[in-house]
Amino acid sequence: MRIIFIGAGNLATHLAQALNNAGHEILQVYSRTMMSAETLARKVGAKAVTDIDALRDDADACIMAVKDSVLEELIPKVCAKRKNIVFMHTAGSMSMSLFEEHAQSYGVFYPMQSFSKERTVDFSEIPCFLEWNGDRARIVITRLAESVSRIHYEMDSDARKHLHLAAVFASNFVNHCYALSAELLEKYNIPFDVMLPLTDEVARKVHEIAPKDAQTGPAVRYDENVMDKHKRMLEDNPTMEKIYEIMSESIHNAAIKK
């Protein structure tokens, strides 16, 4: 298929390359800055553009991989005068209905993964969550998904919002806890590498047992002696102390329910 990409960030970079490797033709890459557009365009043999009016109208699909905050502004401009294209965005928390008044065929292509340009990912292992407004959009979106990933699900906008929220807890919040751990270790010149066997084991465990069954630590048994010591150690960082207290309470409550 012939595809236009709106956006040249982390997700756009990985998805455009995966689609290009699968045999699709990336016609254009649009970004606000020529440098960003050219960087991705060179990787996929596309033309870089910074003018929405210069976008072609003969593509099969247009994938909008941009920040949620600019989707509403860009959609009317990009969809205008391009009625034969199937439009889709890649946002986990934004409704498909954003396209309603601006496009005939549209949907969502949401690859649920944390993307960084400098890290290679196996796109075939990334679950993709799809939504469409009609048969034409369904055919285009599912074909694109099938060409790059072996895991894809149809999911409506409401369910996808909850999926995205769950992903924030499982990824962003967990990674922030890693950052807080590294901050505590840094004070005593201890490298974060010492935590890797522990974090790797926790990650492996949840492949085999439910997260609630994998939980360990002082909060599970509500060891107040240990927890009080920890909180006193965090008195110089009220935010971290509050996080510790809320997390510990949540862990203990979950253990009681179990």
Side-chain angles (χ1 to χ4, degrees), residues 164-180:
H164 187 257
L165 174 60
V168 168
F169 275 91
S171 175
N172 305 131
F173 287 178
V174 170
N175 188 72
H176 183 59
C177 286
Y178 292 159
L180 295 179

Side-chain angles (χ1 to χ4, degrees), residues 211-225 227 231 243-258:
K212 63 182 180 181
D213 296 326
Q215 190 70 60
T216 61
V220 172
R221 51 188 185 273
Y222 214 72
D223 189 335
E224 292 186 84
N225 184 47
M227 292 165 62
K231 284 190 282 186
I243 291 171
Y244 182 96
E245 190 170 342
I246 292 172
M247 290 284 281
S248 296
E249 183 178 350
S250 181
I251 290 169
H252 184 63
N253 288 340
I256 292 172
K257 288 180 183 178
K258 177 187 168 186

Side-chain angles (χ1 to χ4, degrees), residues 6 14 18 49 67 84 110-111 133 143 156 163 208 239 242:
I6 308 297
H14 285 282
V49 296
K67 292 180 180 179
N84 294 322
Y110 171 50
N133 77 320
R143 282 182 180 173
D156 66 30
L163 175 75
E208 301 169 9
T239 299
K242 187 175 182 180

Side-chain angles (χ1 to χ4, degrees), residues 23-36:
H24 300 286
E25 182 182 0
I26 313 302
L27 299 176
Q28 295 173 306
V29 174
Y30 166 87
S31 183
R32 289 178 302 168
T33 66
M34 184 55 72
M35 181 180 294
S36 295

Side-chain angles (χ1 to χ4, degrees), residues 161-200:
K161 289 176 185 177
H162 287 83
L163 175 75
H164 187 257
L165 174 60
V168 168
F169 275 91
S171 175
N172 305 131
F173 287 178
V174 170
N175 188 72
H176 183 59
C177 286
Y178 292 159
L180 295 179
S181 173
E183 183 180 327
L184 290 169
L185 293 170
E186 189 176 4
K187 292 180 181 179
Y188 294 91
N189 297 315
I190 304 172
F192 184 73
D193 288 1
V194 301
M195 290 292 171
L196 296 181
L198 175 63
T199 58
D200 290 347

Side-chain angles (χ1 to χ4, degrees), residues 117-130:
K117 289 181 183 178
E118 62 274 10
R119 285 189 59 80
T120 301
V121 297
D122 180 358
F123 218 98
S124 67
E125 297 298 320
I126 296 174
C128 297
F129 298 88
L130 316 175

Side-chain angles (χ1 to χ4, degrees), residues 15 33 57 64 72 75 104 111 123 143 153 163 178 210:
L15 180 54
T33 66
D57 60 4
M64 304 188 68
E72 290 187 73
I75 283 174
Q104 293 178 355
F123 218 98
R143 282 182 180 173
Y153 306 90
L163 175 75
Y178 292 159

